[in-house]
Amino acid sequence: EPEVTQTPSHQVTQMGQEVILRCVPISNHLYFYWYRQILGQKVEFLVSFYNNEISEKSEIFDDQFSVERPDGSNFTLKIRSTKLEDSAMYFCASQGYNEQFFGPGTRLTVL
Amino acid sequence: DQQVKQNSPSLSVQEGRISILNCDYTNSMFDYFLWYKKYPAEGPTFLISISSIKDKNEDGRFTVFLNKSAKHLSLHIVPSQPGDSAVYFCAASEAAGNNRKLIWGLGTSLAVNP
């Protein structure tokens, strides 16, 4: 059964450093999403992506964040200058018809 | 922002009995509702969904009921099994073409006891 994969599973970085979180969505899906979950809080929408451009982004998704699909398979989330409050689980999702299927997540720890 | 609420942080049921997980929402523009299950250190796994034009959707042991007038949905698991022990999230989206940003509840931790 096709699945969404994410790498790395855990990323530790220093505040101010750039990180890139990678996702490989399900191959015939067209809509892609990033969400995050800070420990003890709700899962929060960050950004949706379709046809090589952002469809919608949340208030969290400021200028420090960017997404791209560089090669038609990988879908990446870049945080240019990480802050302590960026520490969270980051989930990638890809959408078939209506349902979104999630990867296992990347735990980002900013020190 | 509490557009989707799961008021019970935890639920404990006996194996073989029914588990009922509840979810309330405030945004009348939501037209699609989903339930996800999540184990520790894993991503959410899609369980079942329902469109706002229906009031019930069933898939094996899982049934979701939607009461639009009450802005309430529930997930029934019958019979409950120990492997169902996980955190269950209710999520909702409103139609925006096919772009379906999900708004999530806080989750309910279900424990099914043998």
Side-chain angles (χ1 to χ4, degrees):
Chain A
E1 185 174 324
E3 60 181 15
V4 178
T5 59
Q6 289 184 245
T7 54
S9 57
H10 191 188
Q11 175 89 49
V12 181
T13 190
Q14 294 291 325
M15 190 170 57
Q17 295 296 304
E18 174 182 287
V19 294
I20 297 176
L21 310 183
R22 292 183 167 81
C23 169
V24 179
I26 295 171
S27 62
N28 61 345
H29 287 182
L30 299 177
Y31 291 85
F32 312 110
Y33 302 81
W34 283 100
Y35 293 84
R36 79 173 185 190
Q37 186 180 28
I38 295 170
L39 189 64
Q41 298 185 23
K42 289 188 178 187
V43 177
E44 301 173 287
F45 167 78
L46 292 178
V47 66
S48 57
F49 192 84
Y50 169 71
N51 200 24
N52 283 322
E53 60 183 28
I54 290 173
S55 303
E56 185 176 357
K57 58 184 180 180
S58 72
E59 291 176 355
I60 303 166
F61 195 90
D62 61 21
D63 292 344
Q64 293 302 311
F65 290 85
S66 62
V67 288
E68 63 175 6
R69 198 157 184 243
D71 56 11
S73 60
N74 290 286
F75 178 48
T76 62
L77 174 69
K78 182 193 291 186
I79 309 174
R80 271 183 263 283
S81 178
T82 50
K83 302 188 281 285
L84 295 175
E85 54 265 38
D86 293 328
S87 295
M89 282 292 292
Y90 287 80
F91 295 107
C92 170
S94 72
Q95 179 180 316
Y97 183 55
N98 272 322
E99 293 78 30
Q100 292 175 28
F101 296 89
F102 285 77
T106 293
R107 178 171 297 285
L108 176 64
T109 302
V110 183
L111 303 175
Chain B
D1 181 3
Q2 291 274 347
Q3 294 189 72
V4 177
K5 301 179 204 179
Q6 293 177 257
N7 291 320
S8 299
S10 63
L11 175 68
S12 181
V13 300
Q14 212 57 31
E15 180 179 5
R17 307 295 285 267
I18 185 171
S19 296
I20 300 176
L21 297 103
N22 293 303
C23 178
D24 298 293
Y25 63 95
T26 56
N27 186 345
S28 57
M29 298 300 291
F30 287 148
D31 71 336
Y32 201 72
F33 305 89
L34 307 92
W35 284 94
Y36 285 84
K37 177 169 80 170
K38 187 179 180 303
Y39 295 116
E42 294 185 13
T45 301
F46 170 72
L47 265 181
I48 192 169
S49 60
I50 188 166
S51 163
S52 60
I53 62 172
K54 295 187 171 183
D55 55 19
K56 177 182 173 182
N57 189 26
E58 192 171 350
D59 183 1
R61 297 186 297 115
F62 302 92
T63 304
V64 56
F65 295 92
L66 175 63
N67 182 335
K68 281 179 61 180
S69 61
K71 293 193 177 69
H72 177 83
L73 60 154
S74 60
L75 174 68
H76 292 210
I77 307 174
V78 181
S80 302
Q81 299 173 353
D84 296 330
S85 298
V87 178
Y88 288 77
F89 291 97
C90 171
S93 69
E94 53 179 288
N98 282 325
N99 174 23
R100 289 196 164 274
K101 166 181 82 176
L102 293 180
I103 307 300
W104 297 74
L106 258 176
T108 297
S109 179
L110 173 66
V112 180
N113 306 306

